Amino acid sequence: MKPAQPPIPDPTDTIDQALAVGTDGGALLFDDAALPPTEPASQEGHYPPLSRGIVAFAFLMVAEFFYSWAWNSVDVLRPYIRESLGLTLTEAGSGYSAQGAGALIGAVVMGQLADRFGRRKMLAVVMIGYGLTLAAGTLVTSYVAYLADRFVLGLFMGGIFPIVVGIYVGLFASNVAGRLASLINAIFGCAVTLLGVASGAVGGDWKWLLWIGGIPPVLLAGFAFVLIPKTADARGPASGSKPRAPVLDLFARGVRLQTLALAALMGLNFFGYQAFSGWLTTYLRDVRHLSPTILGDLVAWQFAANILGGFFWGWAGDKFGRRFNALGFLGAAIAIVVYLNLGANVVVLGSVGALYGFMLSSSVVWGPWLTELYPPHLKSTAASIFNWGRIVSFFAPLVTGSLATSFGLGATMGVASVTFVIAGLIWLALPETHANPLLPGRRLNTR
C-alpha cells in the first residue's frame, strides 16, 4: 500500500502565515502551521451601538465591584471571622487557600461553559452563585463550614474574569480594550477600599457586609439578558469537526507551547507578587520597625499607584502593543531591588513602593491579550489562563517562608525581582496582536 500523499498547501494559507509573522523580525518560538484561525479583521467594527456598549460595560463594572467585595472579604474581614469562629491564625488564613482553590477550578469550568452555552447566561449564574454563597457566610458556625463556603464562593468567582473579559472585548474595538481593562482594574480597587472603610464603620457587626455584598448581585443578575447585547454570546467555529471541551483547543498543535508559556507567565506573576507584596507589611514592621500608621500609609501609596498605573498601561497597551507592557515587569524588578536597599527615609520608601505598584499594573492588558491570541470561540476559555497561575500562589507562601527562615526576609523578597525579570522575558517572547507595535517581534494578524 502506498503511503498517503501530503495535502497540497493552499497558497492563500501561505500568504496569511507570512502576514502573521510580519517583516520586523523576532524569534519565531511557536509554529503557526496548525494554529487555529484568529479573529478575522473583518469582524472589527461589528459591534453594538456605542450607547448600548457603554450600558453593557457599566453593568459589567457593577458585577466586578461586587465580585471584588466578595473576593476581598476573606482578607479584610479575617480578624472578625477569626474571632467569631475561634480560629487560629493558620485556620483563618486557610480560608483564602480554599477560596483560591475554588477559583482555579471555577475559572476553567465557568469559562468553558460560557463559551459553549453563552456568556450572558453564565454571567447571571456566577453573579447569583457568588451572591448567595457570600450571604450564606453569615450562617457559618464552624471551621469546616467556613472552608466549604469559601471554596464554593471561589468556584463562582473564578468565572468572573474570563466571562467579563470575553464580553467586553466584543463591545468595542480592540484598540480600546486595554483602557477598558484599566477601568475594570480601578473598580476592583475601589471596591476593596470601600470594603475596608465599611469594615471600620460597622465594627463588630461585620456580617452586615456579607449581606451588603451578596444580595445586590443576586437581584441584578437577570439584567445581564437585558443590558448586554446578544452578540456577546456569538461563537466562532471550533477547530475540530467533533464537539469537545474548549480547553482542549488551547492545547492543539501549533498553540500548545504558547498556552504553556502563558500559563508559566501567569504563575510567575503570582509567585513574584506573593514573594514581595505578600511579605511587605511583615517586612516593614519586623525588619524596618515602622509604626502601624506609617506602614499603612506606605501600602496605601503603593495601592493608589497601582490603580493610576492601570490607566497608563491600559493606554500604552492599546497604543504600542500588548508586549510593550512587559517593560513594566522589568521596571518592577528594578524597583524591588532599590526598595530593599533604601535607607529609613519614609518618603523615598513610599515613592519607590509607589513606582513598584505603578509598574506591576502593566499586566492589566492580559485579559484582552489572551482573547486576541486565540479564535473567537475560545474567548472566555482563553481568558481563564490568567487564573491558572493561582495554583502557584498556593505554594508561594510555603516556599518563600522557608527561604525567609534560612536567608532572611529581605533576601527572600529579592527573589521577586528575578521572578519578574524572567516573566518579562517570557512575555516579550510571546506573540503580539497589535497591528503596528512599538517593539519588534512576532505578530498575529488579528486587527
Side-chain angles (χ1 to χ4, degrees):
M1 180 181 296
K2 293 183 179 180
Q5 295 296 319
I8 300 174
D10 188 337
T12 58
D13 291 341
T14 304
I15 294 173
D16 287 341
Q17 291 175 17
L19 289 174
V21 172
T23 58
D24 54 349
L28 303 183
L29 299 183
F30 307 101
D31 177 20
D32 281 341
L35 189 69
T38 52
E39 186 172 341
S42 60
Q43 183 172 323
E44 195 77 16
H46 291 182
Y47 301 103
L50 180 60
S51 58
R52 186 75 187 277
I54 292 174
V55 170
F57 187 75
F59 180 77
L60 294 179
M61 293 180 71
V62 172
E64 180 73 16
F65 178 90
F66 287 106
Y67 153 73
S68 176
W69 186 286
W71 179 270
N72 291 287
S73 64
V74 71
D75 291 327
V76 175
L77 302 181
R78 184 177 299 174
Y80 308 109
I81 295 173
R82 176 173 173 256
E83 181 181 9
S84 176
L85 300 180
L87 305 179
T88 66
L89 288 173
T90 301
E91 289 173 339
S94 63
Y96 180 86
S97 298
Q99 181 174 292
L104 176 63
I105 298 172
V108 177
V109 174
M110 299 298 181
Q112 292 186 83
L113 292 176
D115 282 337
R116 184 173 291 275
F117 299 110
R119 299 182 184 101
R120 297 186 305 163
K121 182 182 300 182
M122 290 310 301
L123 176 61
V125 168
V126 297
M127 288 179 68
I128 293 173
Y130 76 67
L132 290 177
T133 311
L134 182 65
T138 60
L139 305 176
V140 168
T141 58
S142 68
Y143 174 55
V144 173
Y146 174 57
L147 292 182
D149 180 73
R150 284 291 158 178
F151 178 80
V152 176
L153 184 60
L155 281 175
F156 288 107
M157 292 194 296
I160 281 289
F161 183 83
I163 293 173
V164 167
V165 172
I167 292 175
Y168 75 67
V169 295
L171 296 176
F172 306 95
S174 58
N175 61 355
V176 298
R179 279 161 281 189
L180 296 177
S182 68
L183 289 172
I184 293 293
N185 179 68
I187 202 69
F188 184 92
C190 289
V192 181
T193 303
L194 288 176
L195 177 60
V197 172
S199 66
V202 300
D205 297 327
W206 60 273
K207 289 186 178 181
W208 278 105
L209 299 178
L210 300 186
W211 288 111
I212 292 172
I215 298 303
V218 175
L219 299 178
L220 295 172
F223 286 96
F225 299 98
V226 178
L227 302 179
I228 299 176
K230 293 181 180 180
T231 53
D233 294 331
R235 301 179 66 246
S239 60
S241 57
K242 295 182 179 180
R244 62 175 184 172
V247 71
L248 297 179
D249 285 344
L250 298 182
F251 293 93
R253 186 172 61 88
V255 293
R256 186 180 300 117
L257 183 56
Q258 171 181 292
T259 300
L260 293 174
L262 287 167
L265 174 59
M266 307 301 147
L268 288 169
N269 169 61
F270 277 102
F271 184 88
Y273 180 84
Q274 287 288 334
F276 184 78
S277 299
W279 292 104
L280 182 59
T281 54
T282 303
Y283 171 78
L284 293 175
R285 185 189 64 183
D286 297 346
V287 178
R288 295 290 184 132
H289 305 292
L290 298 178
S291 68
T293 301
I294 295 176
L295 188 155
D297 289 342
L298 292 177
V299 173
W301 291 5
Q302 179 181 312
F303 186 75
N306 184 270
I307 295 178
L308 293 176
F311 289 104
F312 169 79
W313 290 110
W315 169 83
D318 287 338
K319 180 71 174 179
F320 304 119
R322 309 306 188 203
R323 292 164 58 255
F324 176 84
N325 286 25
L327 300 179
F329 270 27
L330 302 181
I334 295 173
I336 289 172
V337 174
V338 174
Y339 193 93
L340 295 174
N341 290 280
L342 284 175
N345 190 305
V346 175
V347 174
V348 177
L349 271 177
S351 300
V352 177
L355 178 63
Y356 161 77
F358 183 92
M359 291 294 182
L360 194 62
S361 63
S362 63
S363 62
V364 71
V365 299
W366 279 355
W369 182 49
L370 288 170
T371 67
E372 293 163 358
L373 288 170
Y374 296 91
H377 76 282
L378 295 175
K379 282 182 179 179
S380 292
T381 304
S384 74
I385 295 176
F386 173 79
N387 279 309
W388 296 5
R390 291 194 183 279
I391 193 170
V392 177
S393 66
F394 301 152
F395 303 102
L398 299 177
V399 174
T400 54
S402 299
L403 291 174
T405 302
S406 302
F407 303 102
L409 196 54
T412 299
M413 293 170 69
V415 173
S417 178
V418 179
T419 303
F420 283 123
V421 168
I422 296 173
L425 294 177
I426 292 176
W427 193 346
L428 289 170
L430 284 159
E432 177 60 71
T433 57
H434 195 282
N436 298 293
L438 182 65
L439 300 182
R442 175 172 172 265
R443 296 201 304 267
L444 293 182
N445 188 31
T446 61
R447 294 194 183 187

